[in-house]
């Protein structure tokens, strides 16, 4: 590299040297951190390089200020349990998500027990999870949901109440000064958690760095191409000085959050064609006032407004960030054409390609109500957002709450059995047929199910190694390949062992919840 100082023009020379490694992880978020940590345990001698365009790990979707911090176990998310036409409640998604979260907790416990990460209380805390509804029809739904869930051993310990006095004990901040014009009810379970995924991501990368993983911060992947020997070559640019390096690996994981779609398209693999993305931004109202924060200790989910995307289900959460408690309310949906919080205003338009144009247009036609909803959300004033908050906290005062811009989410758009341009809510691994490259697209419940998602990726991309790796995977994650529904006797053992290691025992949870009962 050389610099030409005249007229402040800089000329950058691209290195002709190809830097080879076994695995390249693009993006330093929770997904890359999880995959890197799993692979380092399975094959310690593999060389791994992490490429991140920002200055630190966990700065985008994984950051604690950019996500809801929910350890998604379907304990409170009403949209994970759907009422069927016959009136029964379908809890299949709730079961699946809960089991996936148990895998995450087991892997984190393994890392703590092995002294690979320490101080679990810095990233996970016990916190009751609650659902609340108003109106006779919604109360009936919640009661049926409660009965369906508590018939399943995964959800033992959940309580239901439609008694305002009991709700006053559970959620005093939400019940104080509330005028009850219609029935109200809530469910509560103490085994919920609050997870600081930003802190966990940084812990995992600190561990990986100690294992000689090459961390390249402030480097951006400009292009991806296949080489003659079947590996992948990445054109990697230093964002500070513009110099370019060529990195090659046998396996590449694209875990760049919303930015993954563009990189998947650059790879040119057939599996990535016909897929689009729709960005949705989020905002939260945040309270730091200790007098108010001390009156609430729970994560409380309500029902989403009609036409709202699932990520916009309103909830009032106790959060732990940098060992300080605060309250978050939201999210309020918004729209930005950026695919990342630090992205470009041209992200959406440049993601439209000839192979996904029809799919994107179809999605636009099918989701006019969503577009209208997002426009209305963007136009809300702070006082209008406070009015929505007062549905949860009747006496909330504007001066106690501030607006915080959360992260960007890019929902997948693809052609499915439901038709062209179907908007997908969830996460999905897209991989090449030979398993040499994979990308993670989508959003919630993403981070909470990171271990399950990365195990799925490992199975898809490294089938030739699975027989040799399976014993180690089961050592790290005893639940791997086991259905808790078929082995209910394991559930208490799992809760007890992970609770002890991660400091989530019932005794600790009870001490924490003493303020709200």
């Amino acid at each position: 590299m050389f610099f030409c100082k005249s007229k402040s023009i800089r000329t950058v020379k691209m290195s002709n040297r190809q830097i080879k490694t076994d695995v390249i992880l693009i993006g330093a978020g929770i997904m890359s951190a999880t995959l890197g940590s799993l692979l380092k345990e399975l094959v310690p001698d593999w060389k791994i390089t992490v490429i991140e365009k920002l200055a630190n790990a966990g700065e985008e979707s994984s950051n604690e200020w950019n996500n809801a911090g929910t350890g998604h176990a379907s304990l409170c998310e009403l949209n994970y349990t759907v009422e069927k036409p016959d009136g029964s409640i379908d809890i299949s998604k709730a079961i699946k998500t809960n089991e996936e979260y148990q895998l995450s907790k087991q892997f984190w416990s393994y890392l703590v027990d092995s002294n690979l990460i320490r101080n679990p209380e810095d990233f996970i805390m016990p916190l009751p999870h609650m659902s609340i509804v108003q109106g006779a029809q919604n109360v009936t739904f919640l009661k049926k949901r409660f009965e369906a869930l508590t018939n399943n051993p995964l959800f033992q310990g959940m309580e239901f109440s439609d008694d305002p006095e009991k709700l006053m004990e559970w959620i005093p901040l939400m019940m104080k000064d509330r005028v009850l014009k219609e029935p109200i009810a809530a469910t509560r379970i103490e085994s919920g958690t609050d997870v600081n995924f930003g802190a966990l991501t940084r812990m995992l990368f600190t561990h990986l760095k100690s294992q000689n993983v090459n961390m390249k911060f402030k480097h951006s992947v400009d292009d991806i191409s296949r080489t003659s020997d079947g590996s992948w070559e990445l054109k990697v640019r230093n964002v500070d000085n513009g110099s370019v390096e060529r990195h090659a690996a046998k396996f590449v994981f694209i875990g760049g959050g919303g930015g993954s779609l563009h990189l998947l398209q650059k790879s040119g693999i057939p599996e990535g064609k016909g897929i689009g993305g729709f960005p949705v931004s989020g905002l939260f109202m945040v309270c730091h006032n200790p007098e108010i924060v001390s009156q609430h200790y729970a994560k409380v989910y309500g029902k989403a407004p009609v036409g709202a995307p699932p990520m916009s289900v309103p909830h009032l959460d106790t959060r732990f960030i940098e060992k300080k408690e605060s309250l978050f309310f939201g999210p309020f949906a918004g729209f930005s054409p950026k695919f990342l919080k630090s992205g470009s205003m041209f992200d959406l338009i440049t993601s439209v390609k000839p192979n996904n144009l029809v799919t994107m247009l179809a999605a636009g036609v099918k989701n006019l109500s969503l577009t209208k909803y997002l426009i209305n959300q963007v136009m809300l004033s702070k006082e209008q957002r406070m009015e929505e908050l007062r549905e949860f906290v009747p006496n909330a005062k504007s001066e106690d709450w501030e607006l915080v811009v959360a992260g960007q989410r890019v929902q997948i758009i693809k052609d499915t059995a439901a038709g062209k341009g179907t908007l997908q809510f969830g996460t999905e691994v897209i991989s090449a047929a030979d398993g040499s490259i994979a990308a993670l697209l989508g959003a919630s419940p993403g981070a909470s199910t990171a271990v399950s998602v990365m195990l799925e990726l490992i199975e898809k991309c490294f089938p030739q190694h699975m027989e040799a790796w399976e014993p180690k995977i089961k050592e790290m994650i005893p639940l791997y390949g086991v259905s808790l529904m078929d082995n209910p006797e394991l559930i208490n053992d799992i809760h007890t062992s992970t609770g002890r290691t991660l400091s989530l025992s019932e005794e600790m949870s009870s001490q924490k919840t003493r303020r709200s009962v």
Side-chain angles (χ1 to χ4, degrees), residues 17 67 74 123 157 266-267 289 376 467 494:
R17 183 172 68 93
N67 67 62
S74 307
F123 74 87
K266 288 180 179 181
S267 75
N289 186 333
N376 290 337
E467 184 176 352
I494 295 301

Side-chain angles (χ1 to χ4, degrees), residues 279-283 311-312 331-336 374 378 405-409:
V280 180
S281 62
L283 302 95
M311 68 164 288
S312 295
F332 297 93
F335 176 78
S336 166
L374 293 177
V378 170
V405 179
Q408 287 285 111
R409 303 290 185 267

